[in-house]
Amino acid sequence: MTGDHDQLLYRLKRSMYPHNRPNAAARFLNRISAAQFGNGFLAPVRAVTLEVIGRRTGRTIRFPLVLVDFEDGRYLVSMLGEDVNWVRNVRAAGGRAVLRRRRAEPVRLTEVEPGLRAPILRRYLDLAPGARPHVPVDRKAPPEAFARIADRYPVFRVTSDSDATQD
């Protein structure tokens, strides 16, 4: 029974992002999660809201993410790979963004080169069960399996940026 339930949940989560794009339900849930994660109440401990300036609109875009702690750093991972707006917006903004969890923290996001991503991706799947249906590697797979897909999943190192502006 548990296996059937897990498969159903897996298919449901995957179906919310056809062609790696959120459908209406996923967009609605992402807006709720972004608000919830940003205020920090009733949110998972590693949940944050990323705020970045939209490359086309110039407006602040908010997106719920999982903050990954690994060795001496903090990281954000794109569960849907390269072809997502928040990744494009971060790149266009030169890595400047704000993380929210009860308070605003101006940050600089620096892309991690693919050769260093594998252990971070593995840790990410341990911490973010909602991402598992979107990454084609089991979270308990050997490091080599993560290395084979690392170039398809952007990872950004998070550092404080006292010069970034808050809204």
Side-chain angles (χ1 to χ4, degrees), residues 93-121:
R96 288 191 144 182
V98 172
L99 288 183
R100 284 197 186 270
R101 183 169 175 90
R102 294 193 184 146
R103 64 177 180 83
E105 177 190 2
V107 295
R108 179 73 61 159
L109 303 178
T110 307
E111 199 154 355
V112 175
E113 59 185 85
L116 301 174
R117 293 177 186 171
I120 301 164
L121 290 171

Side-chain angles (χ1 to χ4, degrees), residues 5 11-12 17 24-25 38 42 44 50 54 58 66-69 78 98 106 108 123 129 134 136 142 148-149 152 158:
H5 179 265
R11 286 194 304 270
L12 175 64
Y17 292 88
L42 302 174
L50 172 70
V66 172
L67 188 62
V68 177
D69 57 316
S78 173
V98 172
R108 179 73 61 159
R123 174 78 173 142
H134 305 285
R148 284 192 292 272
I149 64 154
R152 293 185 280 171
V158 178

Side-chain angles (χ1 to χ4, degrees), residues 29-50:
L29 292 172
N30 283 341
R31 280 193 295 274
I32 291 171
S33 294
Q36 179 184 7
F37 293 2
N39 73 31
F41 297 106
L42 302 174
V45 69
R46 291 180 177 83
V48 296
T49 295
L50 172 70

Side-chain angles (χ1 to χ4, degrees), residues 15-146:
S15 72
M16 291 176 67
Y17 292 88
H19 309 289
N20 283 342
R21 296 277 186 243
N23 65 18
R27 285 191 302 274
F28 175 74
L29 292 172
N30 283 341
R31 280 193 295 274
I32 291 171
S33 294
Q36 179 184 7
F37 293 2
N39 73 31
F41 297 106
L42 302 174
V45 69
R46 291 180 177 83
V48 296
T49 295
L50 172 70
E51 296 180 351
V52 63
I53 301 301
R55 67 192 183 287
R56 293 184 183 160
T57 65
R59 294 185 312 204
T60 299
I61 308 298
R62 291 172 179 82
F63 199 79
L65 293 172
V66 172
L67 188 62
V68 177
D69 57 316
F70 180 75
E71 293 183 350
D72 63 342
R74 300 181 303 158
Y75 300 88
L76 296 175
V77 177
S78 173
M79 75 176 189
L80 299 176
E82 287 281 339
D83 192 27
V84 295
N85 281 324
W86 78 261
V87 169
R88 287 190 200 107
N89 288 335
V90 164
R91 289 173 177 159
R96 288 191 144 182
V98 172
L99 288 183
R100 284 197 186 270
R101 183 169 175 90
R102 294 193 184 146
R103 64 177 180 83
E105 177 190 2
V107 295
R108 179 73 61 159
L109 303 178
T110 307
E111 199 154 355
V112 175
E113 59 185 85
L116 301 174
R117 293 177 186 171
I120 301 164
L121 290 171
R122 189 175 199 187
R123 174 78 173 142
Y124 174 65
L125 288 187
D126 280 340
L127 299 175
R132 293 176 195 157
H134 305 285
V135 180
V137 174
D138 184 87
R139 68 187 175 115
K140 298 190 186 301
E144 302 79 39
F146 287 92

